[in-house]
Amino acid sequence: IAGLAIQAPPHSVWLYLVAMLALPFFPAASIHLSLLFPERTALVQRRPWTQYVPYVLSFALAVYLLITILALTSGRLAPDAFMSVHSHLLRAIQYSRVYAVLGAIIVLGANAHVYLRSRSIIATQRARVILCGSALAFLPPTIGMPLVLFAKIGIPFNLLGVSTVIFPASIGYAIGRHNLFDVD
């Protein structure tokens, strides 16, 4: 949400800080969602504390990001130290992005597993809606990004993200249409 505001003038350090600190928590929320919806996993039923483990990793990444951003904005670093800290920041951002890809794979895998293996018809229907919503939401940016980067086709990056609204809409539809009152 803050990506456009970060790139548009005037640049705001606090908005950049908010966006960077939120970056590692998105995958944790995705993994948490996949553990509970469309069907509560056996792991969470046996050990409920496991649903919070992804947030521990997110918190560690957020602290690492916070420390590097505060060091960069302090204004007291020598040029060599600045470049070193900046490379640490880029590495932490890359770790967050890899974590986001892992979270997306876990969401898709969990929904595919429920769709193929669940005995509950309602859970299967919810998984089908979420899988269709995922395809509609994430295939256009997945196809569009390589076209922009490698084929030099002029698609504005802002348009590539518009379809991602379909994913939370599909989750909302799955909840509303398929057993609304079963959600805790």
Side-chain angles (χ1 to χ4, degrees):
I1 293 172
L4 182 61
I6 290 171
Q7 296 174 9
H11 303 292
S12 176
V13 174
W14 72 269
L15 191 56
Y16 182 79
L17 184 65
V18 167
M20 288 298 107
L21 294 180
L23 188 63
F25 286 99
F26 172 71
S30 298
I31 294 169
H32 190 184
L33 174 69
S34 69
L35 290 171
L36 300 176
F37 190 79
E39 186 175 65
R40 188 176 299 269
T41 61
L43 177 67
V44 171
Q45 289 176 351
R46 284 187 311 246
R47 295 180 184 91
W49 57 269
T50 57
Q51 61 187 318
Y52 304 111
V53 170
Y55 294 105
V56 173
L57 180 57
S58 295
F59 183 74
L61 271 170
V63 167
Y64 186 65
L65 282 164
L66 178 64
I67 290 169
T68 55
I69 290 170
L70 291 177
L72 285 173
T73 57
S74 70
R76 294 183 234 138
L77 294 175
D80 290 339
F82 183 85
M83 293 305 289
S84 175
V85 171
H86 189 265
S87 69
H88 287 283
L89 176 65
L90 293 177
R91 189 174 305 118
I93 292 170
Q94 290 301 327
Y95 288 153
S96 296
R97 289 181 178 158
V98 167
Y99 190 32
V101 169
L102 179 66
I105 290 169
I106 289 172
V107 166
L108 291 175
N111 280 288
H113 177 73
V114 169
Y115 179 69
L116 296 172
R117 303 273 187 214
S118 180
R119 293 182 184 159
S120 169
I121 295 171
I122 294 173
T124 303
Q125 291 296 327
R126 285 188 260 189
R128 183 182 318 168
V129 169
I130 293 171
L131 287 170
C132 290
S134 297
L136 291 173
F138 300 122
L139 279 179
T142 303
I143 294 168
M145 289 295 275
L147 289 176
V148 169
L149 297 174
F150 300 122
K152 307 295 184 207
I153 295 175
I155 303 171
F157 279 136
N158 293 344
L159 289 180
L160 292 176
V162 170
S163 66
T164 58
V165 174
I166 296 171
F167 180 69
S170 70
I171 292 172
Y173 178 77
I175 292 170
R177 176 77 172 111
H178 304 289
N179 206 0
L180 175 65
F181 300 108
D182 188 37
V183 178
D184 58 355

